[in-house]
Amino acid sequence: QAEDKGTVLLLDEIDKADSELPNSLLEVLANNGFRKPWSTEEIKPNNSSRPLIIITTNEDRELPAAFVRRCLVLNIVPDDDFVIWIKQRARVHFSDSSDKNKRPVLSDKVLDKAAQKLKDDRQQVNVGDGGVKPGLAEYLDLLRGLQQLAPDDETAQLRWLERVYKFAYHKQAHVT
């Protein structure tokens, strides 16, 4: 049964949530459970094992020190060769033509070209001016789009890449 294997809870991009959320989680982490919003029902694991809680942040906002002290922190930093590093992550989602599994197929040439454009765009963004550096999510979104626009057609994917990569990579923060 699934409950025998434990529970995983993903809180993605916690820095974008309400600023009170990290402090509110201190009780949840200490008590190994939480109360459903607008209810008295408590949610706790059925077995004695604690859930694995994975929390991600883009570091857009500093998290409270008391919260961070209760976490194990893993910073994911690209290797020196950014193109190889990001392509390795893409291969988890996309296979090459020699791999006959159920993942969509993208060639090394498409991955290389999209990765190089990502690397170039990241170097041009000035975060201080409100720019947002494109990253892995944008790279994977672009690759998914290319696969949908031209399934298993490298030549067409490369043509589409030139036409659409800016929509995936060029993001600006909007100030209101």
Side-chain angles (χ1 to χ4, degrees):
Q1 286 189 350
E3 54 266 354
D4 295 336
K5 302 211 186 254
T7 305
V8 176
L9 173 64
L10 171 64
L11 301 173
D12 196 22
E13 297 185 3
I14 194 170
D15 52 326
K16 295 198 174 33
D18 185 272
S19 61
E20 293 300 313
L21 180 64
N23 286 329
S24 300
L25 285 173
L26 294 175
E27 179 182 350
V28 172
L29 296 172
N31 295 334
N32 196 29
F34 60 94
R35 181 167 287 129
K36 271 182 152 179
W38 306 287
S39 171
T40 58
E41 182 183 354
E42 289 218 17
I43 305 296
K44 288 190 167 223
N46 290 339
N47 56 24
S48 61
S49 67
R50 296 181 63 88
L52 172 62
I53 302 172
I54 300 173
I55 303 169
T56 69
T57 176
N58 291 329
E59 298 180 341
D60 287 345
R61 182 180 72 222
E62 190 172 336
L63 297 172
F67 176 77
V68 175
R69 279 194 303 273
R70 288 167 174 81
C71 298
L72 297 174
V73 178
L74 170 65
N75 288 314
I76 300 176
V77 179
D79 293 341
D80 290 338
D81 191 331
F82 182 79
V83 171
I84 290 173
W85 181 85
I86 201 125
K87 277 181 56 183
Q88 288 170 338
R89 273 112 200 106
R91 280 291 174 221
V92 172
H93 302 271
F94 301 94
S95 65
D96 62 22
S97 58
S98 67
D99 189 3
K100 303 294 183 208
N101 60 38
K102 299 203 184 270
R103 291 178 292 155
V105 175
L106 285 175
S107 70
D108 276 331
K109 193 171 183 178
V110 171
L111 295 181
D112 282 336
K113 188 100 167 168
Q116 188 59 53
K117 288 191 175 299
L118 177 63
K119 179 181 177 183
D120 294 345
D121 281 10
R122 288 175 58 84
Q123 291 170 344
Q124 294 173 7
V125 171
N126 185 351
V127 177
D129 292 338
V132 177
K133 281 190 176 188
L136 179 60
E138 289 80 11
Y139 179 64
L140 293 175
D141 288 346
L142 174 61
L143 296 176
R144 282 185 202 99
L146 295 174
Q147 178 57 29
Q148 288 181 355
L149 287 166
D152 304 324
D153 184 343
E154 177 186 76
T155 303
Q157 289 171 353
L158 290 169
R159 276 196 314 268
W160 274 108
L161 173 64
E162 292 300 324
R163 294 176 64 188
V164 302
Y165 83 91
K166 291 178 184 175
F167 298 107
Y169 293 166
H170 295 185
K171 313 267 174 112
Q172 295 296 319
H174 298 285
V175 180
T176 55

